[in-house]
Amino acid sequence: MKYIIGIDQSTQGTKAVLFDGDGAVVYRADVPHRQIVNEKGWVSHDPEEIYRNVIRAVRKAVEESGISREQLAAVGISNQRETTVLWDDRGCPLNHAIVWQCNRAETVVERLKDSGDTVCERSGIPLSAYFPAAKMAWLMENVVSGLSGDTKLHFGTVDSWLLYRLTKNHLYKTDYSNASRTQLFNLQTLTWDSELCRLFGIPMEALPEVCDSNSCFGTTDFEGLLEKEIPILSMLGDSHGALFGQGCHESGMVKTTYGTGSSVMMNIGENFVRSQNGLATSLAWGIDGRVTYVLEGNINYTGAVITWLKEDVGLIASPGETEGLALQANSADTCILVPAFTGLSAPYWKGDAKAVLAGMSRTTGRAEIVRAALDSIAFQVTDVLKAMEQDSGCGLQELRTDGGPTKNKYLMQMQSDLADVKVSAAGQEELSAMGAAYLAGLTAGIYRRESLFSRMEYRTYAPEMPEEIREAKYAAWKKAVSMTF
């Protein structure tokens, strides 16, 4: 039997997931990496550590699964997206990677605010420090300016960095999904945009070649783990991988990935649509020479809110406690948390917003605050879904969900109630790796599309909340949001 390995390099760590010839998960290996946060709140990762962890995770998956190394047929890579890496032609990082959450490039955005409409029209993305263009500009001004003039620069998202290091001839490529999130890629010409590069001060020669998401990106032996190199046959941003893995291949289908942050993504087909309601337009993927567009809203703090409850305020010992506490909370309590710890992203785009805990009373205690934290995840996703309905002109029929927080039945029911839509929570956990592996397996001719996606299992939730209660809760949420500005 042939096996596909899906590498999911995410914000918190790296997963290497083995899939068999039927697309079933055989083994999963996880390796975490450091979250480097300084006194200014800047969030960084060590690119060298990330690369080494990819090798460690793949080695662990292959050796501990017991499969023969000769049975590995292909690799698919999914990656944390907007995190930005800078390296030289030897493959040496020139700085720590700037993580997507990091707001240090806000000064660049402020300087370019008069060009915001041009940026959005060309890239499909509202001007924000969230995206790599501003992060690259910050690196140009604060790191590159101190380097010798003959240093050859390579800017990229994590996929490009990994490909460069995994391939012995240092191939320098990215795919359409990742390129579309940089804010330097023109979504209508499907090329790097010279005007955007000029605005941000990024040399175009320092950007990778953009390829179809199911290209043969190169070959690797994972630093001698394999006797024979195998092809890397897909690269996708993690949210795009989850969209593909969820089977959202038709226009109008929507999924939400609940991770550290969340990506809410709607497939809108083969035509570019510019959002009028605070969303980004991106490319889902490019496959066999044809691209598919998506509307997307990104949220900074969803799963990270649960981490905050545990590690920063000590209200829980483990994420598993949140469901029970939420159900115990006083139903009459009106406490609302807006987790704008690093500003608000879609659909508000307020980088200077501050988090608030509003509506507290004497009944507000530990359980009520934990419930408010879970509710804040569902409220933020609902904000984005409402904007999608306005931009697309069609009502949502179903929301497919994935990620660790989807195990929380309280959260999923609240999501269904607040958004007034059927929620289908995927039983599988490795959707990003799955999407990348499935695309690689399809490209290799190992999988058949018609049977592959029928394997998905879902737990469904239907709206139960009366309309007047839903509207009152949402109005209170909007009022609390306004307090953060």
Side-chain angles (χ1 to χ4, degrees):
M1 178 179 284
K2 296 292 186 181
Y3 293 85
I4 305 293
I5 190 157
I7 298 169
D8 177 26
Q9 202 301 294
S10 67
T11 308
Q12 299 296 325
T14 299
K15 304 182 191 75
V17 187
L18 282 172
F19 296 85
D20 66 16
D22 296 321
V25 174
V26 174
Y27 197 85
R28 165 180 161 176
D30 293 75
V31 183
H33 60 257
R34 291 176 298 150
Q35 304 299 309
I36 305 167
V37 184
N38 70 5
E39 70 283 355
K40 297 179 182 179
W42 294 356
V43 188
S44 304
H45 290 160
D46 179 351
E48 191 65 36
E49 180 187 13
I50 284 175
Y51 172 67
R52 290 295 165 194
N53 284 355
V54 167
I55 301 299
R56 286 176 60 196
V58 172
R59 180 177 293 275
K60 183 178 180 182
V62 171
E63 292 180 347
E64 295 183 4
S65 67
I67 72 163
S68 168
R69 300 179 189 194
E70 290 74 26
Q71 292 177 290
L72 278 183
V75 184
I77 297 174
S78 69
N79 59 282
Q80 53 168 319
R81 295 179 301 168
E82 292 82 7
T83 295
T84 303
V85 189
L86 171 64
W87 66 97
D88 64 18
D89 57 353
R90 299 171 299 162
C92 296
L94 297 173
N95 196 69
H96 278 150
I98 304 179
V99 178
W100 57 269
Q101 292 169 307
C102 186
N103 212 31
R104 77 183 72 173
E106 190 64 38
T107 53
V108 174
V109 170
E110 184 63 26
R111 188 170 68 239
L112 293 175
K113 63 182 180 181
D114 290 342
S115 300
D117 194 62
T118 296
V119 171
C120 190
E121 182 178 354
R122 289 171 178 259
S123 71
I125 299 173
L127 180 63
S128 171
Y130 183 100
F131 299 101
K135 291 173 166 57
M136 292 179 191
W138 188 93
L139 287 166
M140 287 292 295
E141 296 166 15
N142 293 275
V143 176
V144 175
S145 61
L147 301 175
S148 65
D150 58 354
T151 302
K152 188 173 182 180
L153 304 177
H154 296 77
F155 279 110
T157 42
V158 173
D159 61 311
S160 295
W161 161 247
L162 293 179
L163 181 71
Y164 198 87
R165 291 296 300 273
L166 286 169
T167 52
K168 291 180 179 177
N169 50 346
H170 288 328
L171 294 174
Y172 188 34
K173 301 177 183 180
T174 190
D175 89 299
Y176 280 110
S177 71
N178 281 291
S180 73
R181 300 295 294 176
T182 62
Q183 205 156 62
L184 295 173
F185 193 74
N186 190 307
L187 286 199
Q188 298 182 69
T189 65
L190 301 179
T191 59
W192 295 119
D193 190 286
S194 58
E195 175 62 13
L196 294 177
C197 289
R198 184 193 66 78
L199 282 171
F200 286 97
I202 310 303
M204 292 185 71
E205 62 271 19
L207 297 172
E209 176 188 356
V210 183
C211 306
D212 275 349
S213 308
N214 65 336
S215 299
C216 181
F217 288 93
T219 59
T220 184
D221 62 6
F222 295 105
E223 295 204 351
L225 174 66
L226 309 178
E227 292 185 5
K228 182 181 178 182
E229 293 190 344
I230 59 174
I232 301 167
L233 294 182
S234 76
M235 294 204 305
L236 288 163
D238 51 10
S239 295
H240 310 253
L243 188 77
F244 192 84
Q246 285 270 29
C248 294
H249 305 158
E250 303 298 327
S251 183
M253 300 183 76
V254 185
K255 70 89 197 174
T256 298
T257 298
Y258 298 79
T260 303
S262 280
S263 162
V264 189
M265 193 176 280
M266 172 188 274
N267 184 325
I268 57 171
E270 296 184 9
N271 296 311
F272 173 82
V273 175
R274 180 177 172 182
S275 173
Q276 304 300 316
N277 294 282
L279 304 179
T281 305
S282 304
L283 294 171
W285 44 69
I287 295 177
D288 298 334
R290 300 176 69 178
V291 298
T292 297
Y293 290 87
V294 290
L295 287 171
E296 183 174 5
N298 297 97
I299 302 164
N300 290 344
Y301 273 80
T302 51
V305 179
I306 299 173
T307 303
W308 173 78
L309 287 174
K310 176 179 179 288
E311 298 183 1
D312 296 292
V313 292
L315 292 182
I316 58 172
S318 69
E321 294 180 46
T322 57
E323 183 176 338
L325 285 167
L327 293 170
Q328 294 169 23
N330 186 334
S331 61
D333 189 84
T334 57
C335 175
I336 292 177
L337 171 68
V338 185
F341 298 115
T342 54
L344 285 173
S345 48
Y348 302 104
W349 299 109
K350 296 285 188 179
D352 58 351
K354 301 296 183 183
V356 300
L357 193 57
M360 290 188 291
S361 70
R362 190 63 185 84
T363 65
T364 303
R366 174 181 174 228
E368 287 72 29
I369 293 174
V370 169
R371 183 183 65 187
L374 289 179
D375 289 352
S376 75
I377 298 173
F379 276 124
Q380 290 178 96
V381 171
T382 298
D383 280 337
V384 173
L385 293 175
K386 287 180 177 291
M388 282 180 170
E389 288 184 316
Q390 292 175 321
D391 277 335
S392 66
C394 62
L396 304 184
Q397 302 301 312
E398 179 189 28
L399 173 65
R400 296 187 178 182
T401 65
D402 60 87
T406 63
K407 296 177 183 177
N408 190 308
K409 298 181 182 65
Y410 171 85
L411 173 60
M412 290 296 97
Q413 184 60 56
M414 182 58 68
Q415 187 67 80
S416 178
D417 286 338
L418 291 177
D420 194 24
V421 68
K422 173 187 173 184
V423 169
S424 299
Q428 290 85 346
E429 294 184 15
E430 300 85 8
L431 266 296
S432 295
M434 180 181 290
Y438 279 10
L439 184 56
L442 287 165
T443 304
I446 293 171
Y447 297 148
R448 290 183 176 274
R449 183 182 293 268
E450 53 269 23
S451 60
L452 193 59
F453 295 96
S454 62
R455 301 182 58 86
M456 292 295 296
E457 298 177 355
Y458 293 95
R459 184 184 184 98
T460 60
Y461 300 82
E464 297 176 351
M465 186 177 289
E467 183 177 359
E468 63 273 15
I469 295 178
R470 177 171 57 252
E471 291 180 352
K473 284 183 176 293
Y474 191 66
W477 162 256
K478 296 293 281 188
K479 183 177 180 181
V481 168
S482 70
M483 297 177 189
T484 71
F485 297 161

